[in-house]
Amino acid sequence: MTLSTMLSTMGAGMIRTCLIFVLTLVGSLPLGMIVALLRKSRFAPVRGIISVYISIMRDTPLMLQLLCWYFGPFYLFGWNIGSWRFPAIIVGFVLNYAAYFAEIYRGGIESIPAGQYEAAEVLGYSKAQTFIRIILPQVIKIIMPSVTNEVITLVKDTSLAFTLAYQEVFSLAKQISASQTSFMPFLIAGIFYFVANYIVEIVMKRIEKSLDYYK
Amino acid sequence: MILEMNNIRKHFDGLEVLEDISLNVDSGEVVSIIGPSGSGKSTLLRCATFLETIDGGEILYMGDRAAWTDEKGSVSYVHHQDLRRFRNYCGLVFQQFNLFPHYSILKNIIDAPIHVQKRSREEAEETAMQLLGKMGIADKANAYPYQLSGGQQQRVAIARALAMKPEILFFDEPTSALDPELTGEVLKVIRQLAEEKMTMVVVTHEMPFAKAVSNRVIFMADGVIVEQGDPVKVFEDPQEERTKQFLRVFER
């Protein structure tokens, strides 16, 4: 196998990796906020369920969670899971990352001084206005470094999709390496992850910088 | 009468913070509240501005009931939709300013008038610039709070409260978080408002200021009003032993 065929085969895997990455962020960033807000719900049962959910997501391996999402429907309900592979991966990643993001959001929200809420309340802002106009913008600035960490981890975690035999870049690297008895595919995969995360770092730094106008 | 607070009670975890306090404020009146820390002064302001709920008594603004106690002793507030109207009557200036750090000075002042009171941006900006001019910091309109000194930030906070056009303005130790050399500029602004007949209630430790500016001084200790009246009389000829004791500390 020539280097160029290797690259083009793995290129398709890179696109699949990016797909997992993008869909996970699109799903988990907003879902995490919903989870964080539900965790502060007035209703104790809601808080309880959310806290159990976060614990399970954080305290068990993501790899195991992916296996459960994929094979669970078959073992539990006897469903045909033929076309369920990709959705199962996305569901697994989104729910797992939402739990981490929720905790990051919670930390950010709790670090906003009570005085900000009180000032908004006295000025007559509604609860929703207070959150959207006053609290959230400040939370975003505070949590940026933690979110960056999480996003970088996600780029690397996408490789866990290989457990469900999804042909993303890491699965392909393993396969091609075995069939061609070459280490080259791993090197290519390594460079790919590095470059992807380098881009993530640059983008996140830009965002952080754009929030630098106040302290 | 702008504000009537009658027989207000408030306790935190069984600790009685306000014990049957009544405070009435007339239009154009400037009332200073003095007293040792922990005497309930701030709590009284926080009850008046609806940041805390009372455990007994009643609160009226412009003769209109916002909160009351029934025969059984349970407290009711008006529906929260109506409470917004009452919030509109009063403004509060905090000890720690509590400006919104992510908004420019101008936006700090115009945001609530635009988004809460639904006034036009044009009108809100005009009012804000007028107020900033009055506060002597018109040149800071586009700065951010962190770029201002404490005294300037507090003046912005006053402008922000005034932009809502409140009937009464409360100050919760407005100069306590400031370096001594910066208190003067904030007190000067409050004095100027007093001259314009703005109705105000000021919790303060600045005794000369309280004496010079207010129409009435209230001395609070341990959740009750110990003594109140004409500032000159309270400061120079206090009747209660507790007041004398407190004022003696400041003479030294």
Side-chain angles (χ1 to χ4, degrees), chain B residues 157-172:
Chain B
I158 295 171
R160 180 174 70 174
L162 288 171
M164 301 296 281
K165 303 192 194 296
E167 298 290 337
I168 179 169
L169 192 49
F170 296 91
F171 294 80
D172 190 1

Side-chain angles (χ1 to χ4, degrees), chain A residues 113-127 129-130 132-138 141 212-215, chain B residues 46 49-51 84 87 90-92 94 97-103 107-108 111-112 115-116 118 144 146 160-161 164:
Chain A
Q116 292 289 305
Y117 290 93
E118 291 176 354
E121 194 176 338
V122 169
L123 288 169
Y125 288 94
S126 68
K127 283 230 157 68
Q129 280 178 322
T130 302
I132 292 165
R133 306 192 64 79
I134 311 298
I135 306 302
L136 189 59
Q138 299 183 54
K141 180 183 167 90
D212 252 0
Y213 65 90
Y214 73 91
K215 278 178 188 142
Chain B
R46 293 171 62 85
T49 51
F50 308 106
L51 285 175
R84 300 184 85 172
R87 284 219 164 90
C90 57
L92 174 61
F94 298 86
F97 334 135
N98 294 343
L99 294 178
F100 303 133
H102 58 305
Y103 283 170
K107 193 152 162 75
N108 260 281
D111 198 64
H115 295 281
V116 174
K118 311 291 177 199
Y144 283 83
Y146 80 95
R160 180 174 70 174
M164 301 296 281

Side-chain angles (χ1 to χ4, degrees), chain B residues 119-176:
Chain B
R119 277 150 56 188
S120 78
R121 174 173 294 271
E122 211 178 22
E123 192 261 337
E125 278 183 10
E126 202 185 303
T127 309
M129 288 314 296
Q130 258 171 19
L131 285 167
L132 283 176
K134 207 161 128 184
M135 300 291 147
I137 39 176
D139 55 325
K140 301 289 183 190
N142 295 315
Y144 283 83
Y146 80 95
Q147 296 167 314
L148 271 58
S149 72
Q152 291 171 328
Q153 287 191 49
Q154 191 60 300
R155 282 181 279 158
V156 174
I158 295 171
R160 180 174 70 174
L162 288 171
M164 301 296 281
K165 303 192 194 296
E167 298 290 337
I168 179 169
L169 192 49
F170 296 91
F171 294 80
D172 190 1
E173 302 196 20
T175 58
S176 294

Side-chain angles (χ1 to χ4, degrees), chain B residues 13-45:
Chain B
D13 303 320
L15 182 75
E16 206 77 25
V17 181
L18 298 177
E19 300 175 31
D20 197 24
I21 291 236
S22 295
L23 169 68
N24 294 344
V25 185
D26 234 334
S27 179
E29 210 182 355
V30 178
V31 178
S32 290
I33 304 179
I34 59 170
S37 55
S39 57
K41 309 179 300 280
S42 293
T43 306
L44 185 63
L45 288 202

Side-chain angles (χ1 to χ4, degrees), chain B residues 2 8 15 57 67 73 96 98 132 231 234-235 247:
Chain B
I2 300 237
I8 303 295
L15 182 75
Q96 300 292 346
N98 294 343
L132 283 176
V234 172
F235 280 111
L247 290 175

